[in-house]
Structure formats: C-alpha cells, structure tokens
Amino acid sequence: MIGEAFLSVSSIFQKRSRHEVMYQLYITGIKSLGVITVVALFTGMILALQTGLELRRFGQEVNIGTAVTVVMLREMGPFMTGLIIAASVGSAIAAQMGTMTVSEEIAALEVMSINPVRFLVMPRLIALMVMMPILTVYTNILGALGGAIVGSTQLGVAFTAYFDNATLYATNKDLYVGLCKAVLFGVIITTVACHQGFSAKQGAVGVGQATRKTVIISFLTILTVGYMVTRLFYQ
Amino acid sequence: MRNSRAKEISMEVTVGAFMFMVLLVLAVFTIVLSTQNIFKEYYEFEVIFQEVMGIRPGDNVLVRGVEVGKVKGLHLEEDGVHVITSLESNIRLRKDYKIEILPSSVLGGKILVVYEGEDAEYLPENKPVYGAKPVDLIDEASHVIAEIRTALDEGGILENLEVTMKQFKEVTGNLSQGKGTLGKLLTDDAVYNDIKGISKNLKTVSQKLVGGEGTLAKLLNDGEVYDDLKNVMDNLSTVSQRVADGKGTLARLLAEDDTLYINLVDASEAIKDITTTINKGEGTLGKLAKDDELYVEVTKLLSEVRATVDDFRETAPITTFTSIFFGAF
C-alpha cells in the first residue's frame, strides 16, 4: 500500500491531488500546533527542571542548556511530535478510513476506477512526511525555549548562558538524525492508520477498534524504530 | 464557490507561511550548530600525530588558551594520523613550536593545543607539522598509583610510617605529661611567669630609654654624643689623612720608604748587642750589673763618704768659727 502510494506521488501535480495534499498539510500541521506547543514547551521545562536540579547539586546547572537541547534534538523532539501526531492525526485518519471502509465508500471509489491509495493514502503520506520534520523543528525550538524559561526563573541560568551552552555540544548530526526519525515516524503513522482504516470491519465497533489499534501500534512502532535509528547513528 | 476558493487560499497561505518560517529557523539552526560562519574565511591547518588518543572532529583547537577553531577531520596514513583543523585565524609556527592533545576535562573530551613557540626563526610554510605524544590522564594516574603501591610494598614506607607514628605518639605523651623542656614549656607556669617578667623588664627598659634615663638612652636621645662621635670621626679622618699623606712618625713608619724601618732594625740590633754585653758582664755597665765586688766597693765608698760628710758637719761650726776668728787677724 505504501509502495503504491509512493509510486503515485507524481499525481501530486494534479490540481485535485494538490488541494488534498494542502488540506492534509493544514490538518496535520496547523491544526496540531496548539497541542504541540503545550506539549513541547512543557517537555522542555520538565527536562530542564529535572536535569537542572540534579546538576545543581554539583554546581553545574549552567549545563542544562546542553542537556535539554541535545535530548530534544536527538530524541524527545521527534518522539513527542510522533506521539502527538499519531494520537491526533493518525487516529483521525484511521477513523476516516475505517468509516469509509465500513460504509463501502472505498468499494464505491474502486467501482468508479478511482484508486483509493492514490486518492486517500498518498496525500496523507506526503502531508505527514513533510509536516513531521517541520513540526519536529517547531517542537525542538519550543522545548529549548521551555528549558530556558525554567533555567532563568528557577535555576538562575541566564538566557544568554543557556543558549551559549545549548549550542556548545549540539551538532547538525543531532538535528538531522532527529529529522530523519520524524520522516520515518510520518511514514509509520500513515501506514498504520491507513492499514487499520482499510481493515476495519463490523461497523462502528470496527472503526473504534481500528482507531485504538492505530494509536497503540503507532506508539510501539515509533518507540522501536526510534531506538533502532539511534542505535544506527550513535554507536 | 468564491468563499470556498478564499478559504482554500487562506489555508494554503497559512501552511506555506508556517513551513517557510520553520524552514528558515531550520537553516539558522543548521548554521548555529555547525558553529561556522559562512561569511568568514577559515584556514586549514594539518598536524601529524603518532597517536591522537581519540580526538574527534568538532573538538576545539586552542592557541595560547584562546579557542581559534575546530578539528575538521582526521585520517590514518603511514606516517601517522593526519589531523585537519579549521582555524578562524592563520597561525605561524616558530622553530620551537609544540602541538599536543590534552584532556579538556577530568570527565573526558579532548582539545588540541597549539604553542606557536618563541624562537626568532619561523617554520617554513610547506614543512609538515608534527604533534607531541598526547598525555592520557588515566594512564598517568595508573602509573602513579602503581609507583606508590610499589613504594609502599617494597620501600618499607608503611613500616617507617608505623614507627614514626609510634614515636610521635610517645613524644605527644611526654609533652602532655610535662616531660622535657618542651613539655615544661607547655605545662609549667613558671616559664610563662619568667617570660612575663622578661617582658615587664623590657617594658621598663624601653620606658627608661624613651625617658632618656641612663647612658644608652642618652646615646639614643642626646645629640651631644653624636656631635662628640662626629668630632672623633673627624679627628680620625684627619689622622688617617695625615697618615695617607705621609706626614708624622706613624705615616713614615707605614710609608713605603724603608729607611726608618732599617734604622729601627739597626737600633734594635745595637741595643741587643749592648744588652748582650751587659748580660755577659762586659764593660762598665756589665760589671755594674753583674759584678758584686763593685757593688760592695761602691757601698763601702758611700759609707765612707757619709762618714766624711758627718764629720765635716760636726766640725763645720768649729772650723767656721776658727776661720772667722783667725780671719780677723
């Protein structure tokens, strides 16, 4: 299904497909900004507080900038974004696809010789593959900002010291490995959600099951793949 | 239809603006994290090491303690490990340069430190630059610990330490019991009282000195003493000047001219001869000194002279009268 979706990427230049991709980008990116903002900001704040309190015992609280930034770039940024998108967008895709399946709309599309994968899966796949790294960058920025707020207000680390320290050990490798993970997570969420949606049976109960399974499988796969990518790049 | 189109355009603009902003931030992030200014010129500098102790690309390069660049890469070749650095400023090495890899902290990490050297002569541009063997803190610490252990085991340090501690314990015991001079100093109040008395006396003396009592105080306070001393010194100066000028007997005695000395030697030899002669009893003085007969004779003579004088004294009035009496005739 995913291979077929990739093969039909060329149809993105058709007007209808372009509009659908843009709509999915809007749903995935702009509509998720609220929840992502809150989650990213507080993730950074929690990281800074927990790390900073421990580092303060050794008089090294100034290093929270490094700790928060590196952790956000390498792991927490793509991971938190993946979880949020899996829970919000992934579940929505599964619900939509499931409803369409149980109400035989998918079958109707096939009858009309419209490829459901190209028509439904491809725009969502493109939207998630593009928007996941974009949202991850946004999460990283807000996470680092949250850490800076906690550092400044609770740990006595000035903003300039925090950001000087933040860029001291973080590298482009950390940033781009994180973004690669985000792209992979986008593919995983779309695949799982569309697969579960297309596999939905038994009416509304089946749609609910598909939604629940999408979230669970996406979470587990994100965790597993996240570890594998980290293992691949940081040996 | 128009509303739908406007909504669609609005959605596209929102998504586009959001993506543009995030991509812009990503670009800034990339530049910041690469810690390289794309508008700045960087100089490549290569150093050959035999051992690099795990230095990695991205580690800092310091010149005279200032961070001037980063390690860009390293590759293994037959003549050693070539470490390529990217520096913000070009450095010129002198003949006595030194480049070494040091630990950046106790917890780990490495830095490449460059000492340009102080020699007057610069290193030729194309000459390969070699780095010193890096110092491994853990290795050094292990070595030191091994040496300490060997010294403890084989050098008898523990035994010596035990004996020393025993002796120290004994000494402190004696001190606490007031044994020995030091013990008495610590325990006996008499010493304190003596010191107190001495300080009291010193205080009295100093008060007297300040008050101008006694010779020492006068020496310290009275200007007359100073004047006297100055006069003495002036006189001594005059005397020494006269001696230096060769004036007076003393000056002549000290003068380089040996005449007086020779005369004195001659005179002393003559005196020596005379005294020798006298000792031998030769001559009049010798006989006077040595011959008792002459003494007896002289004594006898003196007795006779005395008797004669006495006789003359007794007969003098009669003689005088007689002469006066007969003188008239």
Side-chain angles (χ1 to χ4, degrees):
Chain A
M1 181 174 67
I2 288 300
E4 196 180 340
F6 273 117
L7 288 172
S8 57
V9 164
S10 55
S11 64
I12 196 173
F13 298 107
Q14 292 171 7
K15 194 179 177 185
R16 181 163 179 80
S17 295
R18 198 173 71 239
H19 287 168
E20 185 60 25
V21 169
M22 187 55 68
Y23 180 70
Q24 290 303 324
L25 281 170
Y26 182 77
I27 295 290
T28 310
I30 307 301
K31 289 283 181 186
S32 307
L33 275 182
V35 65
I36 283 179
T37 302
V38 175
V39 170
L41 201 64
F42 279 91
T43 302
M45 289 168 81
I46 291 164
L47 271 175
L49 189 58
Q50 292 288 8
T51 318
L53 289 174
E54 286 306 308
L55 287 173
R56 192 156 68 176
R57 289 168 60 190
F58 308 101
Q60 297 292 318
E61 63 267 31
V62 75
N63 289 317
I64 55 163
T66 298
V68 172
T69 310
V70 171
V71 171
M72 286 303 293
L73 290 180
R74 286 187 182 182
E75 211 59 59
M76 292 306 283
F79 179 69
M80 295 308 292
T81 313
L83 292 192
I84 293 162
I85 295 299
S88 57
V89 180
S91 59
I93 291 171
Q96 188 185 357
M97 296 294 126
T99 309
M100 287 174 82
T101 304
V102 296
S103 61
E104 296 183 343
E105 285 180 48
I106 303 294
L109 284 171
E110 284 173 345
V111 168
M112 290 189 286
S113 297
I114 295 171
N115 185 350
V117 172
R118 183 183 61 79
F119 186 70
L120 296 171
V121 179
M122 187 274 290
R124 286 162 179 76
L125 179 69
I126 298 297
L128 259 76
M129 280 177 67
V130 171
M131 204 43 94
M132 271 298 289
I134 300 280
L135 288 173
T136 301
V137 172
Y138 180 75
T139 308
N140 290 339
I141 295 163
L142 283 179
L145 194 68
I149 291 166
V150 169
S152 175
T153 55
Q154 281 186 266
L155 299 165
V157 180
F159 271 98
T160 47
Y162 178 90
F163 284 110
D164 276 348
N165 203 271
T167 54
L168 203 61
Y169 291 103
T171 60
N172 272 331
K173 183 185 171 185
D174 300 328
L175 176 64
Y176 285 100
V177 169
L179 297 186
C180 284
K181 279 184 189 176
V183 175
L184 272 177
F185 293 164
V187 175
I188 288 164
I189 293 165
T190 316
T191 310
V192 173
C194 291
H195 175 73
Q196 290 299 322
F198 285 149
S199 310
K201 288 170 187 170
Q202 301 171 352
V205 176
V207 173
Q209 279 179 351
T211 310
R212 188 174 60 85
K213 278 183 182 177
T214 298
V215 174
I216 292 168
I217 295 169
S218 295
F219 276 25
L220 294 176
T221 318
I222 284 169
L223 271 171
T224 317
V225 172
Y227 167 75
M228 284 175 182
V229 175
T230 307
R231 178 78 187 265
L232 187 70
F233 286 98
Y234 299 97
Q235 290 179 342
Chain B
M1 185 69 185
R2 189 173 286 174
N3 279 343
S4 171
R5 179 73 185 146
K7 197 176 174 183
E8 199 174 301
I9 289 170
S10 165
M11 190 176 71
E12 286 181 3
V13 168
T14 310
V15 171
F18 175 66
M19 285 179 70
F20 176 75
M21 278 193 298
V22 173
L23 288 173
L24 197 69
V25 170
L26 179 65
V28 173
F29 249 54
T30 308
I31 293 166
V32 169
L33 293 184
S34 68
T35 62
Q36 291 222 334
N37 188 341
I38 52 172
F39 303 109
K40 202 170 180 179
E41 190 181 2
Y42 287 90
Y43 301 88
E44 201 168 88
F45 178 66
E46 189 171 328
V47 192
I48 304 166
F49 285 93
Q50 290 307 310
E51 163 77 55
V52 292
M53 291 297 293
I55 197 166
R56 292 183 302 179
D59 285 340
N60 291 327
V61 179
L62 272 68
V63 175
R64 278 180 273 162
V66 180
E67 190 185 320
V68 293
K70 292 193 178 295
V71 174
K72 198 175 163 188
L74 34 110
H75 52 93
L76 195 62
E77 288 189 14
E78 277 187 8
D79 60 339
V81 185
H82 289 237
V83 178
I84 297 143
T85 62
S86 174
L87 306 181
E88 291 170 11
S89 55
N90 200 7
I91 53 169
R92 286 193 71 190
L93 299 178
R94 296 169 190 268
K95 285 269 186 186
D96 58 339
Y97 76 91
K98 189 180 178 188
I99 300 172
E100 56 187 347
I101 294 168
L102 297 174
S104 60
S105 71
V106 182
L107 297 174
K110 296 281 185 288
I111 49 170
L112 198 148
V113 181
V114 180
Y115 302 101
E116 297 150 294
E118 292 174 353
D119 200 291
E121 205 175 334
Y122 283 100
L123 200 72
E125 292 272 337
N126 299 324
K127 199 171 179 184
V129 177
Y130 291 95
K133 192 183 175 190
V135 177
D136 185 357
L137 276 181
I138 295 170
D139 191 37
E140 286 287 311
S142 306
H143 189 64
V144 170
I145 289 167
E147 281 183 350
I148 292 169
R149 188 176 291 162
T150 310
L152 285 172
D153 293 343
E154 296 172 9
I157 290 175
L158 280 175
E159 286 172 20
N160 290 340
L161 199 64
E162 200 175 332
V163 171
T164 308
M165 289 309 293
K166 198 175 175 183
Q167 288 171 347
F168 185 71
K169 192 179 173 185
E170 202 174 316
V171 168
T172 50
N174 287 340
L175 285 175
S176 64
Q177 287 168 15
K179 289 180 185 174
T181 310
L182 201 59
K184 280 174 184 159
L185 273 171
L186 291 171
T187 54
D188 195 355
D189 288 344
V191 178
Y192 166 75
N193 292 332
D194 288 347
I195 291 168
K196 196 177 175 186
I198 290 166
S199 70
K200 195 176 176 183
N201 291 339
L202 281 171
K203 191 178 176 185
T204 310
V205 169
S206 65
Q207 278 173 348
K208 282 185 176 179
L209 284 173
V210 171
E213 293 177 34
T215 309
L216 196 59
K218 279 174 185 160
L219 276 169
L220 288 170
N221 298 319
D222 195 355
E224 199 178 330
V225 177
Y226 167 76
D227 293 338
D228 289 348
L229 278 170
K230 193 170 179 291
N231 287 334
V232 169
M233 291 308 294
D234 288 344
N235 292 338
L236 279 172
S237 176
T238 309
V239 168
S240 63
Q241 187 60 46
R242 282 177 62 81
V243 169
D245 295 344
K247 293 176 184 172
T249 309
L250 191 60
R252 282 176 191 144
L253 276 168
L254 295 170
E256 290 180 357
D257 186 4
D258 292 340
T259 312
L260 188 58
Y261 170 74
I262 293 162
N263 288 342
L264 276 170
V265 170
D266 291 347
S268 69
E269 278 179 359
I271 290 165
K272 191 181 174 187
D273 289 343
I274 290 165
T275 52
T276 308
T277 310
I278 289 169
N279 274 334
K280 285 176 181 175
E282 293 173 0
T284 310
L285 278 173
K287 281 174 182 162
L288 275 169
K290 296 285 182 180
D291 195 353
D292 288 343
E293 195 181 337
L294 184 60
Y295 170 74
V296 172
E297 285 295 323
V298 169
T299 308
K300 196 186 280 178
L301 178 64
L302 284 172
S303 301
E304 285 175 358
V305 168
R306 190 177 292 153
T308 307
V309 170
D310 287 342
D311 289 343
F312 176 71
R313 202 178 286 156
E314 287 173 2
T315 57
I318 300 165
T319 310
T320 307
F321 179 75
T322 307
S323 64
I324 292 168
F325 182 75
F326 285 106
F329 295 100

